[in-house]
Amino acid sequence: MSKYDIIVLGSGPGGYVTAIRASQLGFKTAVVEKESLGGVCLNWGCIPTKALLKSAQVFEYLKHAENYGLKVSGAEHDFDAIVKRSRGVAEGMSNGVKFLMKKNKIDVIEGYGTLKAGKKIEVEGTEYSADHIIIATGARSRELPSLPQDGKKVIGYRQAMTLEKQPKKMIVVGSGAIGVEFAYFYNSIGTEVTIVEYLDKIVPVEDDEVSKQLERSFKKSGIKIKTSAEVTSVDTSGTGVKATVKTKKGEEILEADIVLSAVGIKSNIENIGLEDVGIAVDRDKILVNDFYQTNIPGYYAIGDITPGQALAHVASAEGILCVEKIAGQHVEALDYGNIPGCTYCSPEIASVGLTEQQAKDKGLDIKVGKFPFSASGKASAGGNKEGFVKVIFDAKYGEWLGCHMIGAGVTDMIAEAVLGRKLETTGHEVLKAVHPHPTMSEAVMEAVADAYDEVIHL
Ligand SMILES: Cc1cc2nc3c(=O)[nH]c(=O)nc-3n(C[C@H](O)[C@H](O)[C@H](O)COP(=O)(O)OP(=O)(O)OC[C@H]3O[C@@H](n4cnc5c(N)ncnc54)[C@H](O)[C@@H]3O)c2cc1C
């Protein structure tokens, strides 16, 4: 039987990053994967969606080339080619992980892995043992009983990025990051899109002002939005789909070619041997302590399969921390209050920390600053004046409680707030840190200045 120091079950951004860090720390490491290296993120999530969104963005630029003094006639899109490009990008990234496994001398065990008692994993008839087993089996699209996915007319995210034919009409159920990214993509290439959101605003986890701005932008671009609305049933018996939607005003039937269910994820906890080993699970998630140890010594869990934000960078950070702790390093528990969340539709959204409402609900005395991109030179030059940066500080101590952005390229700007908060910076320090001109990032400095009544360009 092959014996390792560490075996990681699953090779998503949780699993493969964990394996690399483990190898760097000197552990003999193997990773077990039943599909493609890189997991959902590289193959079916973060990366292929961003490739689709890039095609949409380029197409938008071409359609509005005259805004930049350019003449482009007959700009057309080729749906097959867009999908093919996205798949190619994903494949390239997955191959990159293969290279990294080799470079770091990590054994890749291909096949379906099942946990066994005694710190063992069985992969298709062969048993492997390790001192430490890290479970990183991730998640899949969640199915609602009222919205069973048939993979053809009622689909999840995987099918949404590999459709053979572009739908004329699409209903997107759920307006979290996945829902609005697909809504934006399909709308921009000419599909008629309706978003149905159960809560009273789209992108419900975001600051209220961000949700309102996105709703305005989406409506302007032709996306229909129904909030406080629920799909109670779907009829797929005809050529298309008829969805019964319950709103405050009553029930209505919406017709479409495709319904995309984007209502969250379901952890891959079934049939991986958790019960045989006795690993405790609570409401779809494996229970872990601050360093990702399960209730059974020698077994750990990280990524989407554990509580905490279901994001690639969270999965990676958890895995690194987990193996550094195993290696005996002095590590601090992850601060889940300082995890950035990004949404890559247009305009983009990026946020970290408390929303204004959350800060108020906590009874905090706050200072709020906001700077619109309409007042930014770089945004004007780039033709991207939509959106703003909003910052929230504790009035007494100057602690940076939250930062919320919506606009072009903001997903590349949020790290400033994450780092500032990590280093416990105050508003005055951000203000005195000179930002380059002209950049979109100046809007962060100006929003902070606004919170302290020192804003220059408003
Ligand atoms: C459409 C979409 C877009 C997204 N966009 C973003 C984004 O922009 N940014 C972001 O941060 N996050 C994004 N996410 C979320 C991100 O993809 C996940 O948070 C991340 O992939 C979780 O990583 P993980 O390692 O926990 O699991 P996964 O990436 O799900 O990987 C788990 C791996 O384990 C393998 N596996 C499972 N069971 C077994 C078994 N028994 N034996 C062998 N192998 C097994 C699976 O095949 C898979 O490869 C997106 C998700 C989706 C669906």
Side-chain angles (χ1 to χ4, degrees):
M1 184 197 300
S2 301
K3 170 91 174 50
Y4 292 90
D5 297 324
I6 292 180
I7 298 180
V8 189
L9 182 58
S11 76
Y16 86 78
V17 170
T18 306
I20 293 174
R21 187 71 189 115
S23 171
Q24 286 173 347
L25 290 164
F27 293 117
K28 186 180 176 212
T29 307
V31 66
V32 183
E33 176 54 59
K34 68 177 168 63
E35 284 185 50
S36 303
L37 289 171
V40 169
C41 174
L42 272 64
N43 297 287
W44 298 105
C46 325
I47 303 301
T49 51
K50 270 77 242 179
L52 295 175
L53 289 162
K54 188 68 198 180
S55 294
Q57 189 194 36
V58 173
F59 193 41
E60 288 290 338
Y61 271 120
L62 292 177
K63 283 191 283 184
H64 300 110
E66 72 282 0
N67 294 348
Y68 298 86
L70 304 170
K71 280 188 187 158
V72 175
S73 55
E76 280 180 36
H77 72 283
D78 175 343
F79 185 69
D80 279 351
I82 292 173
V83 170
K84 213 167 151 198
R85 173 178 181 272
S86 161
R87 296 322 303 156
V89 171
E91 200 184 321
M93 295 301 294
S94 181
N95 284 336
V97 175
K98 198 187 256 177
F99 162 79
L100 289 174
M101 295 297 100
K102 216 170 158 187
K103 182 184 161 210
N104 287 282
K105 301 186 173 51
I106 296 160
D107 286 350
V108 176
I109 304 166
E110 289 176 13
Y112 192 98
T114 317
L115 303 165
K116 300 277 165 202
K119 293 190 271 184
K120 284 185 224 137
I121 290 189
E122 188 188 313
V123 186
E124 299 183 2
T126 306
E127 274 197 345
Y128 301 86
S129 77
D131 293 335
H132 309 276
I133 289 181
I134 302 175
I135 310 160
T137 49
R140 58 186 186 272
S141 178
R142 181 163 83 102
E143 287 202 47
L144 292 179
S146 57
L147 207 54
Q149 294 177 24
D150 61 12
K152 290 193 171 69
K153 291 184 189 169
V154 182
I155 61 172
Y157 58 81
R158 284 198 187 211
Q159 294 86 20
M161 61 185 91
T162 49
L163 286 176
E164 281 173 13
K165 205 169 134 224
Q166 181 186 345
K168 285 199 175 67
K169 277 187 177 187
M170 181 183 242
I171 298 168
V172 177
V173 185
S175 71
I178 295 175
V180 297
E181 286 183 8
F182 278 113
Y184 168 75
F185 167 70
Y186 276 103
N187 176 68
S188 70
I189 57 166
T191 297
E192 238 180 76
V193 177
T194 304
I195 294 175
V196 179
E197 168 56 54
Y198 182 73
L199 295 171
D200 62 1
K201 60 174 199 168
I202 58 167
V203 282
V205 299
E206 301 296 344
D207 190 271
D208 288 345
E209 288 191 85
V210 169
S211 295
K212 277 190 195 127
Q213 173 69 56
L214 187 70
E215 182 163 341
R216 267 198 303 275
S217 304
F218 268 17
K219 282 186 171 164
K220 210 168 98 190
S221 66
I223 297 174
K224 296 194 186 90
I225 296 173
K226 291 183 183 298
T227 47
S228 303
E230 186 185 357
V231 173
T232 51
S233 65
V234 281
D235 174 3
T236 55
S237 59
T239 47
V241 196
K242 286 184 183 164
T244 306
V245 180
K246 200 168 110 192
T247 64
K248 279 182 182 160
K249 290 183 201 147
E251 255 183 19
E252 62 179 306
I253 310 281
L254 295 184
E255 292 190 34
D257 307 311
I258 297 265
V259 174
L260 166 60
S261 173
V263 293
I265 55 166
K266 163 87 189 73
S267 301
N268 294 323
I269 50 173
E270 309 86 351
N271 308 318
I272 55 168
L274 293 179
E275 305 77 9
D276 295 349
V277 181
I279 293 172
V281 171
D282 181 34
R283 278 169 294 155
D284 195 44
K285 299 285 176 185
I286 296 180
L287 289 176
V288 287
N289 67 10
D290 278 353
F291 300 106
Y292 311 102
Q293 291 156 340
T294 69
N295 59 317
I296 305 293
Y299 293 85
Y300 309 75
I302 55 142
D304 279 7
I305 200 165
T306 61
Q309 296 95 324
L311 292 168
H313 40 289
V314 173
S316 301
E318 289 175 346
I320 289 171
L321 229 159
C322 176
V323 284
E324 288 180 348
K325 180 74 177 175
I326 292 172
Q329 290 194 356
H330 177 72
V331 282
E332 268 175 46
L334 202 64
D335 175 4
Y336 287 91
N338 197 28
I339 302 288
C342 294
T343 304
Y344 300 78
C345 52
S346 181
E348 291 185 348
I349 296 171
S351 57
V352 66
L354 300 180
T355 63
E356 185 173 351
Q357 192 56 50
Q358 285 166 340
K360 283 180 179 161
D361 291 347
K362 280 178 176 270
L364 296 170
D365 185 13
I366 54 173
K367 275 184 187 295
V368 177
K370 199 172 150 192
F371 191 79
F373 286 119
S374 56
S376 148
K378 183 70 184 287
S380 284
N384 298 308
K385 295 202 290 185
E386 232 177 6
F388 57 83
V389 173
K390 175 174 174 177
V391 291
I392 300 156
F393 285 90
D394 182 276
K396 194 167 169 198
Y397 301 107
E399 184 187 348
W400 197 349
L401 297 171
C403 185
H404 307 274
M405 309 174 173
I406 178 164
V410 295
T411 54
D412 286 321
M413 283 163 51
I414 195 68
E416 173 176 0
V418 178
L419 184 63
R421 281 162 47 79
K422 174 79 183 158
L423 299 177
E424 298 183 2
T425 189
T426 61
H428 282 289
E429 286 167 327
V430 181
L431 251 178
K432 297 301 171 204
V434 178
H435 285 57
H437 176 76
T439 57
M440 297 292 275
S441 68
E442 283 172 297
V444 177
M445 185 178 67
E446 288 275 35
V448 175
D450 184 47
Y452 289 91
D453 296 324
E454 296 179 31
V455 69
I456 302 292
H457 290 98
L458 273 187

